[in-house]
Coordinates of all heavy atoms in Angstrom, one line a residue:
M1 N -9.7 -27.4 -67.5 CA -9.1 -26.5 -66.5 C -7.8 -27.2 -66.0 O -7.8 -28.3 -65.6 CB -10.0 -26.3 -65.3 CG -9.4 -25.5 -64.2 SD -10.5 -25.0 -62.8 CE -11.2 -26.5 -62.3
A2 N -6.7 -26.5 -66.2 CA -5.4 -27.0 -65.7 C -5.3 -26.5 -64.3 O -5.7 -25.4 -63.9 CB -4.3 -26.5 -66.6
Q3 N -4.6 -27.3 -63.4 CA -4.5 -26.9 -62.0 C -3.1 -27.4 -61.5 O -2.5 -28.4 -61.9 CB -5.6 -27.5 -61.2 CG -5.9 -29.0 -61.4 CD -7.1 -29.4 -60.8 OE1 -7.1 -30.1 -59.8 NE2 -8.3 -29.1 -61.3
S4 N -2.7 -26.6 -60.5 CA -1.4 -26.9 -59.9 C -1.5 -28.2 -59.0 O -2.6 -28.5 -58.5 CB -0.9 -25.8 -59.0 OG -1.8 -25.5 -58.0
E5 N -0.4 -28.8 -58.7 CA -0.4 -29.9 -57.8 C -0.5 -29.4 -56.4 O -1.0 -30.1 -55.5 CB 0.9 -30.8 -58.0 CG 0.9 -31.6 -59.3 CD 2.0 -32.5 -59.4 OE1 2.5 -33.0 -58.3 OE2 2.4 -32.8 -60.5
E6 N 0.0 -28.2 -56.1 CA -0.1 -27.6 -54.8 C -1.5 -27.4 -54.4 O -2.3 -26.8 -55.2 CB 0.7 -26.3 -54.7 CG 0.7 -25.7 -53.4 CD 1.5 -24.3 -53.4 OE1 2.0 -23.9 -54.4 OE2 1.5 -23.7 -52.3
R7 N -1.9 -27.8 -53.2 CA -3.3 -27.6 -52.8 C -3.2 -27.1 -51.3 O -2.3 -27.3 -50.6 CB -4.0 -28.9 -52.8 CG -4.3 -29.4 -54.2 CD -4.9 -30.8 -54.2 NE -5.4 -31.3 -55.5 CZ -5.1 -31.0 -56.7 NH1 -4.3 -30.1 -57.0 NH2 -5.7 -31.6 -57.7
E8 N -4.3 -26.4 -51.0 CA -4.4 -25.9 -49.6 C -5.8 -25.8 -49.2 O -6.7 -25.6 -50.0 CB -3.7 -24.5 -49.5 CG -4.3 -23.4 -50.2 CD -3.6 -22.1 -50.0 OE1 -2.4 -22.1 -49.6 OE2 -4.1 -21.0 -50.3
P9 N -6.1 -26.0 -47.9 CA -7.5 -25.9 -47.4 C -7.8 -24.4 -47.1 O -6.9 -23.6 -46.9 CB -7.4 -26.6 -46.1 CG -6.0 -26.5 -45.6 CD -5.2 -26.4 -46.9
Y10 N -9.0 -24.1 -47.2 CA -9.5 -22.7 -46.9 C -11.0 -22.8 -46.5 O -11.7 -23.6 -47.1 CB -9.3 -21.8 -48.1 CG -9.6 -20.3 -47.7 CD1 -8.6 -19.5 -47.2 CD2 -10.8 -19.8 -48.0 CE1 -8.8 -18.2 -46.9 CE2 -11.0 -18.4 -47.7 CZ -10.0 -17.6 -47.1 OH -10.3 -16.3 -46.8
E11 N -11.4 -22.1 -45.6 CA -12.8 -22.1 -45.2 C -13.7 -21.4 -46.2 O -13.5 -20.2 -46.5 CB -13.0 -21.5 -43.8 CG -14.4 -21.7 -43.2 CD -14.5 -21.3 -41.8 OE1 -13.5 -21.1 -41.1 OE2 -15.7 -21.2 -41.3
E12 N -14.6 -22.2 -46.8 CA -15.5 -21.6 -47.8 C -16.9 -21.6 -47.3 O -17.3 -22.4 -46.4 CB -15.5 -22.5 -49.1 CG -14.2 -22.4 -49.9 CD -14.3 -23.1 -51.2 OE1 -15.4 -23.3 -51.8 OE2 -13.3 -23.5 -51.7
G13 N -17.7 -20.8 -47.9 CA -19.1 -20.7 -47.7 C -19.8 -20.6 -49.0 O -19.1 -20.5 -50.0
C14 N -21.1 -20.6 -49.0 CA -21.8 -20.5 -50.3 C -23.2 -19.9 -50.0 O -23.8 -20.2 -49.0 CB -22.0 -21.8 -50.9 SG -22.7 -21.9 -52.5
L15 N -23.6 -19.0 -50.9 CA -25.0 -18.4 -50.7 C -26.1 -19.5 -50.8 O -27.2 -19.3 -50.3 CB -25.2 -17.4 -51.8 CG -24.3 -16.1 -51.7 CD1 -24.6 -15.2 -52.9 CD2 -24.6 -15.4 -50.4
S16 N -25.7 -20.7 -51.4 CA -26.7 -21.8 -51.5 C -26.9 -22.4 -50.1 O -28.0 -23.0 -49.9 CB -26.2 -22.9 -52.4 OG -26.0 -22.4 -53.7
F17 N -26.0 -22.2 -49.2 CA -26.1 -22.7 -47.8 C -25.7 -21.7 -46.8 O -24.6 -21.8 -46.2 CB -25.2 -24.0 -47.7 CG -25.5 -25.1 -48.6 CD1 -24.8 -25.2 -49.8 CD2 -26.6 -25.9 -48.3 CE1 -25.2 -26.3 -50.7 CE2 -26.9 -27.0 -49.2 CZ -26.2 -27.1 -50.4
P18 N -26.5 -20.7 -46.6 CA -26.2 -19.6 -45.6 C -25.8 -20.2 -44.3 O -26.4 -21.1 -43.8 CB -27.4 -18.8 -45.6 CG -28.3 -19.2 -46.7 CD -27.9 -20.6 -47.1
E19 N -24.8 -19.6 -43.7 CA -24.4 -19.9 -42.3 C -23.7 -21.2 -42.2 O -23.4 -21.7 -41.1 CB -25.6 -19.8 -41.3 CG -26.2 -18.5 -41.3 CD -27.4 -18.4 -40.4 OE1 -27.5 -19.2 -39.5 OE2 -28.3 -17.5 -40.6
I20 N -23.4 -21.9 -43.3 CA -22.7 -23.2 -43.2 C -21.3 -23.0 -43.9 O -21.3 -22.6 -45.1 CB -23.4 -24.3 -43.9 CG1 -24.7 -24.6 -43.1 CG2 -22.6 -25.6 -43.9 CD1 -25.6 -25.7 -43.7
T21 N -20.2 -23.2 -43.2 CA -18.9 -23.0 -43.8 C -18.1 -24.2 -43.5 O -18.4 -25.0 -42.6 CB -18.2 -21.7 -43.3 OG1 -18.1 -21.9 -41.8 CG2 -19.0 -20.5 -43.6
G22 N -17.0 -24.4 -44.1 CA -16.1 -25.5 -43.8 C -14.9 -25.5 -44.7 O -14.9 -24.8 -45.8
N23 N -13.8 -26.1 -44.3 CA -12.6 -26.2 -45.1 C -12.8 -27.0 -46.3 O -13.4 -28.1 -46.3 CB -11.4 -26.7 -44.3 CG -10.8 -25.7 -43.4 OD1 -10.9 -24.5 -43.7 ND2 -10.1 -26.1 -42.4
V24 N -12.3 -26.5 -47.5 CA -12.3 -27.2 -48.7 C -10.9 -27.2 -49.3 O -10.3 -26.1 -49.3 CB -13.3 -26.6 -49.7 CG1 -13.2 -27.4 -51.1 CG2 -14.7 -26.6 -49.2
V25 N -10.3 -28.3 -49.6 CA -9.0 -28.3 -50.2 C -9.1 -28.2 -51.7 O -9.8 -28.9 -52.4 CB -8.3 -29.7 -49.8 CG1 -6.9 -29.7 -50.5 CG2 -8.2 -29.8 -48.3
R26 N -8.4 -27.2 -52.2 CA -8.4 -26.9 -53.7 C -7.0 -26.6 -54.2 O -6.2 -26.2 -53.4 CB -9.3 -25.7 -54.0 CG -10.8 -26.0 -53.7 CD -11.6 -24.8 -54.3 NE -13.0 -24.9 -54.0 CZ -13.9 -25.5 -54.7 NH1 -13.6 -26.2 -55.7 NH2 -15.2 -25.5 -54.3
P27 N -6.8 -26.8 -55.5 CA -5.5 -26.4 -56.1 C -5.3 -24.9 -55.8 O -6.2 -24.1 -55.9 CB -5.7 -26.7 -57.5 CG -6.7 -27.8 -57.6 CD -7.6 -27.5 -56.5
V28 N -4.0 -24.5 -55.6 CA -3.7 -23.1 -55.4 C -3.7 -22.3 -56.7 O -4.0 -21.1 -56.6 CB -2.3 -23.0 -54.7 CG1 -1.8 -21.6 -54.6 CG2 -2.3 -23.7 -53.4
E29 N -3.5 -22.9 -57.8 CA -3.4 -22.2 -59.1 C -4.1 -23.0 -60.1 O -4.1 -24.2 -60.2 CB -1.9 -22.1 -59.5 CG -1.6 -21.1 -60.6 CD -0.1 -20.9 -60.7 OE1 0.7 -21.3 -59.9 OE2 0.2 -20.3 -61.7
V30 N -4.8 -22.2 -61.0 CA -5.6 -22.8 -62.1 C -5.4 -22.0 -63.4 O -5.1 -20.8 -63.3 CB -7.1 -23.0 -61.8 CG1 -7.3 -23.9 -60.7 CG2 -7.7 -21.6 -61.6
T31 N -5.6 -22.7 -64.5 CA -5.7 -22.0 -65.8 C -7.0 -22.4 -66.4 O -7.3 -23.6 -66.5 CB -4.6 -22.4 -66.7 OG1 -3.3 -22.0 -66.1 CG2 -4.7 -21.6 -68.1
V32 N -7.9 -21.5 -66.7 CA -9.2 -21.7 -67.2 C -9.3 -21.3 -68.7 O -8.9 -20.2 -69.0 CB -10.3 -21.0 -66.4 CG1 -11.7 -21.3 -66.9 CG2 -10.1 -21.4 -64.9
R33 N -9.9 -22.1 -69.5 CA -10.1 -21.8 -70.9 C -11.6 -21.7 -71.1 O -12.4 -22.5 -70.6 CB -9.6 -22.9 -71.8 CG -8.1 -22.9 -71.8 CD -7.5 -24.1 -72.6 NE -6.1 -24.4 -72.2 CZ -5.8 -25.2 -71.2 NH1 -6.7 -25.8 -70.4 NH2 -4.5 -25.4 -70.9
F34 N -12.0 -20.6 -71.9 CA -13.5 -20.4 -72.1 C -13.7 -19.6 -73.3 O -12.7 -19.1 -73.9 CB -14.1 -19.7 -70.8 CG -13.4 -18.3 -70.6 CD1 -14.0 -17.2 -71.1 CD2 -12.2 -18.2 -69.9 CE1 -13.4 -15.9 -70.9 CE2 -11.7 -17.0 -69.7 CZ -12.3 -15.8 -70.2
Q35 N -14.9 -19.5 -73.7 CA -15.3 -18.6 -74.8 C -16.0 -17.4 -74.2 O -16.9 -17.5 -73.4 CB -16.3 -19.3 -75.8 CG -15.6 -20.3 -76.6 CD -16.6 -20.9 -77.6 OE1 -17.6 -21.4 -77.3 NE2 -16.2 -20.8 -78.9
D36 N -15.6 -16.2 -74.7 CA -16.3 -15.0 -74.2 C -17.6 -14.8 -74.9 O -18.0 -15.6 -75.7 CB -15.4 -13.7 -74.3 CG -15.0 -13.4 -75.7 OD1 -15.7 -13.8 -76.7 OD2 -14.0 -12.7 -75.9
V37 N -18.3 -13.7 -74.6 CA -19.7 -13.5 -75.2 C -19.7 -13.3 -76.7 O -20.7 -13.6 -77.3 CB -20.4 -12.2 -74.5 CG1 -20.7 -12.5 -73.0 CG2 -19.6 -11.0 -74.7
S38 N -18.5 -13.0 -77.3 CA -18.5 -12.8 -78.7 C -18.0 -14.2 -79.4 O -17.9 -14.2 -80.6 CB -17.5 -11.7 -79.1 OG -16.2 -11.9 -78.7
G39 N -17.7 -15.2 -78.6 CA -17.3 -16.5 -79.1 C -15.8 -16.7 -79.2 O -15.4 -17.7 -79.6
A40 N -15.1 -15.6 -78.8 CA -13.6 -15.7 -78.9 C -13.0 -16.6 -77.8 O -13.5 -16.5 -76.6 CB -13.0 -14.3 -78.9
K41 N -12.1 -17.5 -78.1 CA -11.5 -18.3 -77.1 C -10.6 -17.5 -76.2 O -9.8 -16.6 -76.7 CB -10.7 -19.5 -77.7 CG -11.7 -20.4 -78.4 CD -11.0 -21.6 -79.0 CE -12.0 -22.5 -79.6 NZ -11.4 -23.8 -80.1
Q42 N -10.6 -17.7 -74.9 CA -9.9 -17.0 -73.9 C -9.2 -18.0 -73.0 O -9.7 -19.1 -72.8 CB -10.7 -16.0 -73.1 CG -11.5 -15.0 -73.9 CD -10.7 -13.9 -74.5 OE1 -9.6 -13.6 -74.0 NE2 -11.1 -13.4 -75.6
E43 N -8.1 -17.5 -72.3 CA -7.5 -18.3 -71.3 C -7.0 -17.4 -70.2 O -6.5 -16.3 -70.4 CB -6.3 -19.0 -71.9 CG -5.6 -19.9 -70.9 CD -4.5 -20.7 -71.5 OE1 -4.8 -21.6 -72.3 OE2 -3.3 -20.5 -71.2
V44 N -7.3 -17.7 -69.0 CA -7.0 -16.9 -67.8 C -6.3 -17.8 -66.7 O -6.9 -18.9 -66.4 CB -8.3 -16.2 -67.2 CG1 -7.9 -15.5 -65.9 CG2 -8.9 -15.3 -68.2
G45 N -5.2 -17.3 -66.2 CA -4.6 -18.0 -65.1 C -4.8 -17.2 -63.8 O -4.9 -16.0 -63.9
A46 N -5.0 -18.0 -62.8 CA -5.2 -17.3 -61.5 C -4.6 -18.1 -60.3 O -4.4 -19.3 -60.5 CB -6.7 -17.2 -61.2
R47 N -4.3 -17.4 -59.3 CA -3.6 -18.0 -58.1 C -4.3 -17.5 -56.9 O -4.9 -16.4 -56.9 CB -2.1 -17.6 -58.1 CG -1.4 -18.2 -57.0 CD 0.2 -18.0 -57.2 NE 0.9 -18.6 -56.1 CZ 1.1 -19.9 -55.9 NH1 0.7 -20.8 -56.8 NH2 1.8 -20.4 -54.9
G48 N -4.3 -18.2 -55.8 CA -4.9 -17.7 -54.5 C -6.4 -17.7 -54.5 O -7.1 -18.5 -55.1
M49 N -6.9 -16.6 -54.0 CA -8.3 -16.4 -53.8 C -9.1 -16.4 -55.1 O -10.2 -17.0 -55.2 CB -8.6 -15.2 -53.0 CG -10.1 -15.0 -52.6 SD -10.8 -16.4 -51.7 CE -10.0 -16.2 -50.1
L50 N -8.6 -15.7 -56.1 CA -9.3 -15.7 -57.4 C -9.4 -17.1 -58.0 O -10.4 -17.5 -58.5 CB -8.6 -14.8 -58.4 CG -9.2 -14.7 -59.8 CD1 -10.7 -14.3 -59.7 CD2 -8.4 -13.8 -60.7
A51 N -8.3 -17.9 -57.9 CA -8.3 -19.3 -58.3 C -9.4 -20.1 -57.6 O -10.1 -20.9 -58.2 CB -6.9 -19.9 -58.2
R52 N -9.4 -19.9 -56.3 CA -10.4 -20.6 -55.5 C -11.9 -20.2 -55.9 O -12.7 -21.1 -56.1 CB -10.2 -20.3 -54.0 CG -11.2 -20.9 -53.1 CD -10.8 -20.8 -51.6 NE -9.6 -21.6 -51.4 CZ -9.5 -22.9 -51.1 NH1 -10.7 -23.6 -51.1 NH2 -8.4 -23.5 -50.9
C53 N -12.1 -18.9 -56.1 CA -13.4 -18.5 -56.5 C -13.8 -19.0 -57.8 O -15.0 -19.5 -58.1 CB -13.5 -17.0 -56.5 SG -13.4 -16.2 -54.9
M54 N -12.9 -19.1 -58.8 CA -13.1 -19.6 -60.1 C -13.5 -21.1 -60.0 O -14.5 -21.5 -60.6 CB -11.9 -19.4 -61.0 CG -11.7 -17.9 -61.4 SD -10.1 -17.6 -62.2 CE -10.4 -18.3 -63.8
Q55 N -12.8 -21.8 -59.2 CA -13.1 -23.3 -59.0 C -14.5 -23.5 -58.4 O -15.2 -24.3 -58.8 CB -12.0 -23.9 -58.2 CG -10.7 -24.0 -58.9 CD -9.6 -24.5 -57.9 OE1 -9.5 -25.6 -57.7 NE2 -8.8 -23.5 -57.4
H56 N -14.8 -22.7 -57.4 CA -16.1 -22.7 -56.7 C -17.2 -22.5 -57.7 O -18.2 -23.3 -57.8 CB -16.1 -21.7 -55.6 CG -17.4 -21.7 -54.8 ND1 -17.5 -22.2 -53.6 CD2 -18.6 -21.2 -55.1 CE1 -18.7 -22.1 -53.1 NE2 -19.4 -21.4 -54.0
E57 N -17.1 -21.5 -58.5 CA -18.1 -21.2 -59.5 C -18.2 -22.2 -60.7 O -19.3 -22.5 -61.1 CB -18.0 -19.7 -60.0 CG -18.1 -18.7 -59.0 CD -19.4 -18.8 -58.2 OE1 -20.5 -19.1 -58.7 OE2 -19.4 -18.5 -57.0
I58 N -17.0 -22.7 -61.1 CA -17.0 -23.7 -62.1 C -17.7 -25.0 -61.6 O -18.4 -25.7 -62.3 CB -15.6 -24.0 -62.6 CG1 -15.2 -22.8 -63.5 CG2 -15.5 -25.3 -63.4 CD1 -13.7 -22.8 -63.8
D59 N -17.5 -25.3 -60.3 CA -18.2 -26.4 -59.7 C -19.7 -26.2 -59.8 O -20.4 -27.2 -60.2 CB -17.8 -26.5 -58.2 CG -16.6 -27.3 -57.9 OD1 -16.0 -27.8 -58.9 OD2 -16.1 -27.3 -56.7
H60 N -20.2 -25.0 -59.6 CA -21.6 -24.8 -59.7 C -22.1 -25.1 -61.1 O -23.2 -25.7 -61.3 CB -22.0 -23.3 -59.4 CG -22.1 -23.0 -57.9 ND1 -23.0 -23.6 -57.1 CD2 -21.4 -22.2 -57.1 CE1 -22.9 -23.2 -55.9 NE2 -21.9 -22.3 -55.8
L61 N -21.3 -24.6 -62.1 CA -21.7 -24.9 -63.5 C -21.8 -26.4 -63.8 O -22.5 -26.9 -64.6 CB -20.7 -24.3 -64.5 CG -20.7 -22.7 -64.5 CD1 -19.5 -22.2 -65.3 CD2 -22.0 -22.2 -65.0
N62 N -21.0 -27.2 -63.1 CA -20.9 -28.6 -63.2 C -21.8 -29.4 -62.2 O -21.8 -30.6 -62.2 CB -19.5 -29.1 -63.1 CG -18.6 -28.7 -64.2 OD1 -19.0 -28.6 -65.3 ND2 -17.3 -28.3 -63.9
G63 N -22.7 -28.6 -61.5 CA -23.6 -29.2 -60.6 C -23.0 -29.7 -59.3 O -23.6 -30.6 -58.6
V64 N -21.8 -29.2 -58.9 CA -21.2 -29.6 -57.7 C -21.2 -28.5 -56.7 O -20.9 -27.3 -57.0 CB -19.7 -30.0 -58.0 CG1 -18.9 -30.3 -56.7 CG2 -19.6 -31.1 -59.0
L65 N -21.6 -28.8 -55.5 CA -21.7 -27.8 -54.4 C -20.5 -28.0 -53.5 O -20.0 -29.1 -53.4 CB -23.0 -27.9 -53.6 CG -24.2 -27.7 -54.5 CD1 -25.5 -28.0 -53.7 CD2 -24.3 -26.3 -55.0
Y66 N -20.1 -27.0 -52.8 CA -18.9 -27.2 -51.9 C -19.1 -28.2 -50.9 O -18.1 -28.9 -50.5 CB -18.5 -25.8 -51.3 CG -19.0 -25.5 -50.0 CD1 -18.3 -25.7 -48.9 CD2 -20.3 -25.0 -49.8 CE1 -18.8 -25.4 -47.6 CE2 -20.8 -24.7 -48.6 CZ -20.0 -24.9 -47.5 OH -20.5 -24.6 -46.3
I67 N -20.3 -28.5 -50.4 CA -20.5 -29.6 -49.4 C -20.3 -30.9 -50.1 O -20.0 -31.9 -49.3 CB -21.8 -29.5 -48.7 CG1 -23.0 -29.6 -49.7 CG2 -22.0 -28.2 -47.9 CD1 -24.3 -29.8 -49.0
D68 N -20.4 -31.0 -51.4 CA -20.1 -32.3 -52.1 C -18.6 -32.6 -52.0 O -18.2 -33.7 -52.2 CB -20.5 -32.2 -53.5 CG -22.0 -32.0 -53.7 OD1 -22.7 -32.5 -52.8 OD2 -22.4 -31.4 -54.7
R69 N -17.8 -31.6 -51.7 CA -16.3 -31.8 -51.6 C -15.9 -32.2 -50.2 O -14.7 -32.3 -49.9 CB -15.6 -30.5 -52.1 CG -15.9 -30.2 -53.5 CD -14.7 -29.7 -54.2 NE -14.9 -29.5 -55.6 CZ -14.5 -30.4 -56.5 NH1 -13.9 -31.5 -56.2 NH2 -14.8 -30.2 -57.8
K70 N -16.8 -32.3 -49.3 CA -16.5 -32.7 -47.9 C -16.6 -34.2 -47.7 O -17.3 -34.8 -48.5 CB -17.5 -31.9 -47.0 CG -17.4 -30.4 -47.1 CD -18.1 -29.7 -46.1 CE -17.4 -29.3 -44.9 NZ -16.0 -29.1 -44.9
S71 N -16.0 -34.7 -46.8 CA -16.0 -36.1 -46.5 C -17.5 -36.5 -46.1 O -18.2 -35.7 -45.6 CB -15.0 -36.5 -45.4 OG -15.5 -36.0 -44.2
N72 N -17.8 -37.8 -46.2 CA -19.1 -38.3 -45.8 C -19.3 -38.0 -44.3 O -20.4 -37.7 -43.9 CB -19.2 -39.8 -46.0 CG -19.4 -40.1 -47.5 OD1 -19.8 -39.2 -48.3 ND2 -19.0 -41.3 -47.9
V73 N -18.3 -38.2 -43.5 CA -18.4 -37.9 -42.0 C -18.8 -36.5 -41.8 O -19.7 -36.2 -41.0 CB -17.1 -38.2 -41.3 CG1 -17.1 -37.8 -39.9 CG2 -16.8 -39.7 -41.4
K74 N -18.2 -35.5 -42.5 CA -18.5 -34.1 -42.3 C -19.9 -33.8 -42.8 O -20.6 -33.0 -42.2 CB -17.5 -33.2 -43.1 CG -16.0 -33.4 -42.6 CD -15.7 -32.4 -41.6 CE -14.2 -32.6 -41.3 NZ -13.7 -31.7 -40.3
R75 N -20.3 -34.4 -43.9 CA -21.7 -34.2 -44.4 C -22.7 -34.7 -43.4 O -23.7 -34.1 -43.2 CB -21.9 -34.9 -45.8 CG -21.4 -33.9 -46.9 CD -21.8 -34.4 -48.2 NE -20.6 -35.0 -48.7 CZ -20.5 -36.0 -49.6 NH1 -21.6 -36.5 -50.1 NH2 -19.4 -36.4 -50.1
V76 N -22.4 -35.9 -42.8 CA -23.4 -36.4 -41.8 C -23.4 -35.4 -40.6 O -24.5 -35.1 -40.1 CB -22.9 -37.8 -41.3 CG1 -23.7 -38.2 -40.1 CG2 -23.1 -38.8 -42.4
A77 N -22.3 -34.8 -40.2 CA -22.3 -33.9 -39.1 C -23.1 -32.6 -39.5 O -23.7 -32.0 -38.6 CB -20.9 -33.5 -38.8
L78 N -23.2 -32.3 -40.8 CA -23.9 -31.1 -41.2 C -25.4 -31.4 -41.5 O -26.2 -30.5 -41.7 CB -23.4 -30.6 -42.5 CG -22.0 -29.8 -42.5 CD1 -21.5 -29.5 -43.9 CD2 -22.2 -28.6 -41.6
A79 N -25.8 -32.7 -41.4 CA -27.2 -33.1 -41.8 C -28.3 -32.3 -41.0 O -29.2 -31.8 -41.6 CB -27.4 -34.6 -41.5
G80 N -28.1 -32.0 -39.7 CA -29.1 -31.3 -39.0 C -29.2 -29.9 -39.5 O -30.4 -29.4 -39.7
K81 N -28.1 -29.2 -39.7 CA -28.2 -27.8 -40.3 C -28.8 -27.8 -41.6 O -29.6 -26.9 -41.9 CB -26.7 -27.2 -40.4 CG -26.2 -26.8 -39.0 CD -24.8 -26.1 -39.3 CE -24.2 -25.6 -38.0 NZ -23.0 -24.9 -38.2
L82 N -28.5 -28.8 -42.5 CA -29.0 -28.8 -43.8 C -30.6 -29.0 -43.8 O -31.3 -28.4 -44.5 CB -28.4 -29.9 -44.6 CG -26.9 -29.6 -45.0 CD1 -26.3 -30.9 -45.6 CD2 -26.8 -28.4 -45.9
K83 N -31.0 -29.9 -42.9 CA -32.5 -30.1 -42.7 C -33.2 -28.8 -42.3 O -34.2 -28.5 -42.8 CB -32.7 -31.2 -41.7 CG -32.5 -32.6 -42.3 CD -32.8 -33.7 -41.3 CE -32.5 -35.1 -41.8 NZ -32.7 -36.1 -40.9
R84 N -32.6 -28.1 -41.3 CA -33.2 -26.9 -40.9 C -33.2 -25.8 -42.0 O -34.2 -25.1 -42.2 CB -32.4 -26.3 -39.6 CG -32.8 -27.0 -38.4 CD -32.2 -26.3 -37.1 NE -30.8 -26.2 -37.1 CZ -29.9 -27.1 -36.8 NH1 -30.4 -28.3 -36.4 NH2 -28.6 -26.9 -36.8
L85 N -32.2 -25.8 -42.7 CA -32.1 -24.8 -43.9 C -33.2 -25.2 -44.9 O -33.8 -24.3 -45.4 CB -30.7 -24.8 -44.5 CG -30.4 -23.9 -45.6 CD1 -30.7 -22.4 -45.2 CD2 -29.0 -24.1 -46.1
K86 N -33.3 -26.4 -45.2 CA -34.3 -26.9 -46.2 C -35.7 -26.5 -45.7 O -36.5 -26.0 -46.5 CB -34.2 -28.4 -46.4 CG -35.2 -28.9 -47.5 CD -35.0 -30.4 -47.7 CE -36.1 -30.8 -48.7 NZ -36.0 -32.3 -48.9
K87 N -36.0 -26.8 -44.4 CA -37.3 -26.5 -43.9 C -37.6 -25.0 -43.9 O -38.7 -24.6 -44.3 CB -37.4 -27.0 -42.4 CG -38.7 -27.0 -41.8 CD -38.7 -27.6 -40.4 CE -40.1 -27.9 -39.9 NZ -40.1 -28.6 -38.6
Q88 N -36.6 -24.2 -43.6 CA -36.8 -22.7 -43.6 C -37.0 -22.3 -45.0 O -37.9 -21.4 -45.3 CB -35.5 -22.1 -43.0 CG -35.5 -20.6 -43.1 CD -34.2 -19.9 -42.6 OE1 -33.3 -20.6 -42.2 NE2 -34.1 -18.6 -42.7
T89 N -36.3 -22.8 -46.0 CA -36.5 -22.4 -47.4 C -37.9 -22.8 -47.9 O -38.5 -22.0 -48.6 CB -35.4 -23.1 -48.3 OG1 -34.1 -22.8 -47.8 CG2 -35.5 -22.7 -49.7
E90 N -38.4 -24.0 -47.5 CA -39.7 -24.4 -47.9 C -40.8 -23.5 -47.3 O -41.8 -23.2 -48.0 CB -39.9 -25.8 -47.4 CG -39.2 -26.8 -48.3 CD -39.2 -28.2 -47.7 OE1 -39.7 -28.4 -46.5 OE2 -38.7 -29.2 -48.4
L91 N -40.6 -23.0 -46.1 CA -41.5 -22.1 -45.4 C -41.6 -20.8 -46.1 O -42.6 -20.1 -46.1 CB -41.2 -22.0 -43.9 CG -41.4 -23.2 -43.1 CD1 -40.9 -22.9 -41.7 CD2 -42.9 -23.6 -43.0
E92 N -40.4 -20.3 -46.6 CA -40.3 -19.0 -47.3 C -40.9 -19.0 -48.7 O -41.2 -18.0 -49.3 CB -38.9 -18.5 -47.3 CG -38.4 -18.2 -45.9 CD -36.9 -17.9 -45.9 OE1 -36.2 -18.0 -47.0 OE2 -36.4 -17.6 -44.9
S93 N -41.0 -20.2 -49.3 CA -41.5 -20.3 -50.7 C -43.0 -20.2 -50.8 O -43.8 -20.4 -50.0 CB -41.2 -21.7 -51.2 OG -39.8 -21.8 -51.3

């Protein structure tokens, strides 16, 4: 994935962590190369919100969650919310 040097923060959320949001700094523009369902190589450029969404979803494919992009201090501040969310999820299972 090619990306612009220009970056900007934006408040993101994720279905993996309902009700938890926070600013994530990401490149404003990206170019993504991939193979489509028929195996043909494709390339798509995106800017703004589409670029951000693509990066967020590619992070998921790489095992990275948006909270992993936050500083250690911010993650510590979220620890209580994450524990409650984990407990709630375990109760629903």
Side-chain angles (χ1 to χ4, degrees):
M1 175 171 56
Q3 46 190 258
S4 64
E5 289 187 29
E6 181 184 1
R7 291 172 168 26
E8 67 181 15
Y10 189 84
E11 189 168 344
E12 287 189 26
C14 183
L15 294 175
S16 299
F17 300 97
E19 301 175 25
I20 297 177
T21 61
N23 277 339
V24 178
V25 177
R26 293 191 187 269
V28 172
E29 192 170 352
V30 296
T31 301
V32 178
R33 292 174 200 86
F34 61 96
Q35 286 183 304
D36 64 21
V37 294
S38 64
K41 292 184 180 183
Q42 302 287 333
E43 182 174 292
V44 173
R47 183 169 179 78
M49 185 57 70
L50 179 57
R52 178 168 294 277
C53 291
M54 290 168 74
Q55 292 171 80
H56 180 104
E57 296 307 324
I58 289 169
D59 276 354
H60 280 297
L61 293 173
N62 292 323
V64 177
L65 300 172
Y66 92 99
I67 61 169
D68 297 330
R69 298 219 174 261
K70 303 187 88 33
S71 70
N72 287 337
V73 172
K74 300 267 184 182
R75 273 189 260 155
V76 168
L78 287 173
K81 283 185 177 182
L82 292 171
K83 283 182 184 177
R84 283 191 298 279
L85 182 59
K86 182 180 179 185
K87 191 174 190 176
Q88 178 184 356
T89 303
E90 289 170 350
L91 291 173
E92 292 173 357
S93 298

